[in-house]
Amino acid sequence: MHPWHKRLEGTGKRALARVAALVLRRPTRALPAGLRRVLLVRVDDRVGEALLTTPLAVALKRLQPPPAVEVLVHRRTARVLEDHPAIDRILALDRRLLGLGPLAPGIRAVRSAGPWDVVVDCGNWEVPSVTSALIARLVAGTAQVIGPAVAPTGPLHDVPVPARTDTRSELAQRLHLLSPLLEPPRLLPTFRTPRVSTSLGPFLAQVRASPHAVLVPGGRLGWRRIPPWLFGVAARVLTSLGRTVIVAWGPGEEDLGHTVVSEAPGAQLAPPTDLDGLGALLAAAGCTVSNNSGPMHLSVAVGAPTLALFLKMDPERWGYGVAPHAVLDLTPAIDDRGRAALEVERAVTAFAAGLGSAGPS
């Protein structure tokens, strides 16, 4: 159960959404026949959430003629979407004084960058974001707002879209938000061509030269991280199959990386990398084993086959289970050390066998 202050905050936001829906109510209008400019709104500060916006941008660019696709994101995730080939402009939200509503500096700045034909609130149905829905409505001006048809935020959208009932996939549901505009295609997240430093180049060349695998044992939320010793199990399996194992790490995770390396003879600690360097490393190796984390989404986005190890989260909702990618839910086995190790061994063996031994394509 959430702490009392979080429950109180949630109650306040839900009440605010209901009041705002009444105040901002306007007559129903048809969507425009042709799209010139579309704004995608996702103001979450997580890397994975930013990457989950990219399939929508790619799908919109397939329209003829293709509209300009712009995105409104959290300042921390603007870097994730820079130079993406399907995104024409990135707007980073200034969150100061958002309580002023339409008078907030950030809202006024975004509105001045319009107008758009359509604004899409790229939220979800499972945990509706009042903040995202309100921001989408306030920056839209006269543009039609599309978003999830779910209480209490649905009434803030001109075109509320019911959730699909045949899938729990977050990716499929996000693409479904575009169903009023197009037939949603099946797409995966994508990333720019990584901007690699010259100092990292020789190391990447070595990785491309022979079969490698990258383990990413870190992640933002510790409670859903797989224990380091299980990554050690994965590393030993991959080593036995002829792959050199590289353990990647992010800020504050170097000790975690060393712990995994100590569990697997022959494994190597990756050099320090930024987002682009990590993306380039994952692409070079062409074989990733990761927690359910931002790097999991990044690995898929750069085209690297990815096995995601899940704990206390729904793999069908957040994972990529279609080959060459795979998921393993360790939640039922995590308290049984022998069972968890056996499941990781089997999953990693099957995943690596499906890739062959030739390394990245």
Side-chain angles (χ1 to χ4, degrees):
M1 181 177 289
H2 294 297
W4 68 267
H5 62 280
K6 284 293 184 181
R7 297 199 299 274
L8 181 61
E9 178 185 349
T11 300
K13 284 187 174 181
R14 289 190 291 273
L16 174 61
R18 294 186 179 98
V19 171
L22 292 173
V23 172
L24 300 173
R25 184 168 53 187
R26 57 189 178 186
T28 302
R29 295 173 293 140
L31 286 166
L35 298 178
R36 294 168 298 174
R37 296 180 71 189
V38 178
L39 179 68
L40 303 176
V41 177
R42 189 58 179 161
V43 291
D44 193 288
D45 66 352
R46 292 170 288 182
V47 169
E49 287 290 347
L51 289 171
L52 281 170
T53 306
T54 61
L56 282 71
V58 173
L60 287 165
K61 281 296 187 182
R62 293 183 176 182
L63 291 172
Q64 294 300 324
V69 177
E70 301 165 58
V71 295
L72 174 60
V73 296
H74 196 283
R75 286 188 177 276
R76 293 179 183 172
T77 58
R79 64 190 176 96
V80 180
L81 300 178
E82 288 175 358
D83 296 331
H84 192 284
I87 295 174
D88 296 288
R89 187 180 187 185
I90 299 171
L91 302 169
L93 179 66
D94 179 354
R95 301 178 71 94
R96 293 176 302 155
L97 303 176
L98 279 181
L100 294 177
L103 300 179
I107 298 297
R108 294 173 63 185
V110 175
R111 286 190 62 153
S112 69
W116 298 276
D117 299 307
V118 169
V119 172
V120 182
D121 170 21
C122 302
N124 61 56
W125 292 260
E126 191 86 9
V127 185
S129 170
V130 172
T131 301
S132 180
L134 280 170
I135 289 171
R137 185 58 183 269
L138 291 173
V139 303
T142 60
Q144 296 276 72
V145 180
I146 297 173
V150 61
T153 58
L156 287 165
H157 304 131
D158 298 295
V159 185
V161 180
R164 285 177 55 175
T165 58
D166 60 338
T167 180
R168 297 202 305 272
S169 166
E170 193 67 27
L171 176 59
Q173 295 285 13
R174 297 282 176 93
L175 280 163
H176 178 60
L177 284 170
L178 300 182
S179 59
L181 305 174
L182 50 82
E183 182 66 30
R186 292 185 178 183
L187 295 170
L188 293 174
T190 47
F191 189 62
R192 60 180 170 262
T193 300
R195 302 172 295 206
V196 180
S197 65
T198 53
S199 61
L200 191 61
F203 178 72
L204 294 177
Q206 292 178 9
V207 172
R208 295 189 193 98
S210 62
H212 278 66
V214 177
L215 304 189
V216 190
R220 189 173 62 93
L221 299 176
W223 58 267
R224 68 187 196 198
R225 286 182 185 175
I226 302 302
W229 69 268
L230 277 174
F231 276 96
V233 172
R236 292 193 295 273
V237 171
L238 289 164
T239 300
S240 72
L241 295 173
R243 288 183 178 267
T244 300
V245 173
I246 306 294
V247 180
W249 50 280
E253 297 175 347
E254 188 171 5
D255 287 345
L256 173 63
H258 280 295
T259 299
V260 175
V261 168
S262 70
E263 294 271 353
Q268 305 173 21
L269 192 69
T273 57
D274 58 9
L275 187 69
D276 284 270
L278 178 59
L281 174 58
L282 297 170
C287 176
T288 302
V289 179
S290 171
N291 279 310
N292 166 31
S293 61
M296 172 193 73
H297 297 285
L298 179 63
S299 181
V300 172
V302 299
T306 304
L307 170 61
L309 307 181
F310 275 73
L311 182 64
K312 301 176 183 177
M313 293 288 286
D314 183 359
E316 184 177 337
R317 181 180 176 199
W318 295 106
Y320 303 90
V322 178
H325 310 297
V327 297
L328 173 62
D329 185 3
L330 283 163
T331 307
I334 198 63
D335 293 327
D336 183 333
R337 193 177 179 99
R339 179 184 169 190
L342 183 60
E343 291 199 10
V344 169
E345 288 176 8
R346 288 173 174 171
V348 172
T349 299
F351 170 66
L355 305 181
S357 60
S361 58

